[in-house]
Amino acid sequence: MKAYYYDNLPGDQRLPHDSGKAVDTSDLAQVGVLYYRIGELDGVNQLASERGYKNRDEITVSPEKMGDIYKAKVESFFDEHLHEDEEIRYIRDGAGYFDVRNKGDEWIRIQLEKDDLIILPAGIYHRFTTDETNYIQAMRLFKEEPKWTPLNRSDDLDANPYRKEYVTHFLE
């Protein structure tokens, strides 16, 4: 895992966009993002048990696997959004980027690769993209039945109870 401030320069979202200003795991934890490096599935199983994740599935994001919908799907993942559940991803293969907002509403880019696991809290604004290899395979873990409902950022979303709880706990 490598994390840094996003450079905000125009260009392909799948490129690193590294500003040169590093961010460490304690900075990520301040906005509720947890990072683990787990080399064996037993470690994922242990974390899932400790945190109450009962369900899981796997997703492969690539042109080969997704066909014609790949480009539109990756673009939709890159729209800034939040979820009303934690977002837990264990990278099984490939690489990609999660961008999250810090307390100053700046983007932090988190580069993930095989054996990286990230937990984003409910209510955090974020986005995702593959890197320039256009391939990532990830395990998604869920506390309840698998669901993935993105709520795209808007002024109205500030009243969402999950967003309000996130702001109270991490940003105030």
Side-chain angles (χ1 to χ4, degrees):
M1 186 272 304
K2 179 180 178 182
Y4 47 84
Y5 283 94
Y6 189 82
D7 66 14
N8 291 310
L9 296 174
D12 189 336
Q13 69 193 34
R14 298 166 306 141
L15 296 176
H17 287 278
D18 189 342
S19 67
K21 185 176 176 190
V23 173
D24 64 27
T25 55
S26 65
D27 296 321
L28 295 175
Q30 287 179 13
V31 293
V33 175
L34 303 176
Y35 167 78
Y36 301 88
R37 179 88 177 157
I38 303 176
E40 300 292 329
L41 195 53
D42 285 345
V44 175
N45 294 336
Q46 180 179 344
L47 181 71
S49 177
E50 291 167 4
R51 294 187 63 90
Y53 304 139
K54 299 180 225 165
N55 296 298
R56 63 182 73 183
D57 67 10
E58 293 204 17
I59 184 171
T60 300
V61 179
S62 73
E64 292 75 24
K65 185 73 172 178
M66 300 174 85
D68 293 341
I69 67 165
Y70 171 78
K71 185 174 189 243
K73 195 56 119 171
V74 169
E75 287 173 358
S76 76
F77 293 157
F78 202 65
D79 288 336
E80 184 173 5
H81 62 277
L82 64 77
H83 300 284
E84 293 181 338
D85 299 302
E86 286 184 337
E87 183 164 347
I88 307 96
R89 299 294 180 265
Y90 176 58
I91 309 306
R92 305 286 304 235
D93 197 17
Y97 301 105
F98 275 91
D99 297 338
V100 299
R101 294 282 189 179
N102 72 357
K103 289 183 180 188
D105 210 33
E106 299 169 291
W107 284 118
I108 296 173
R109 175 153 276 199
I110 307 162
Q111 181 179 7
L112 299 174
E113 59 188 21
K114 186 178 184 322
D115 296 334
D116 288 336
L117 185 143
I118 192 169
I119 302 172
L120 304 181
I124 190 173
Y125 285 125
H126 66 283
R127 60 191 184 187
F128 169 79
T129 188
T130 56
D131 68 5
E132 62 271 16
T133 66
N134 295 319
Y135 173 79
I136 193 165
Q137 180 185 0
M139 177 184 292
R140 306 184 300 179
L141 294 100
F142 305 90
K143 290 189 176 185
E144 300 301 332
E145 287 301 311
K147 62 181 177 178
W148 187 81
T149 305
L151 302 173
N152 286 349
R153 187 172 185 170
S154 70
D155 291 339
D156 293 340
L157 201 53
D158 290 338
N160 176 289
Y162 295 91
R163 176 63 184 167
K164 288 170 81 172
E165 182 179 335
Y166 173 78
V167 168
T168 299
H169 195 247
F170 293 105
L171 301 183
E172 291 181 344

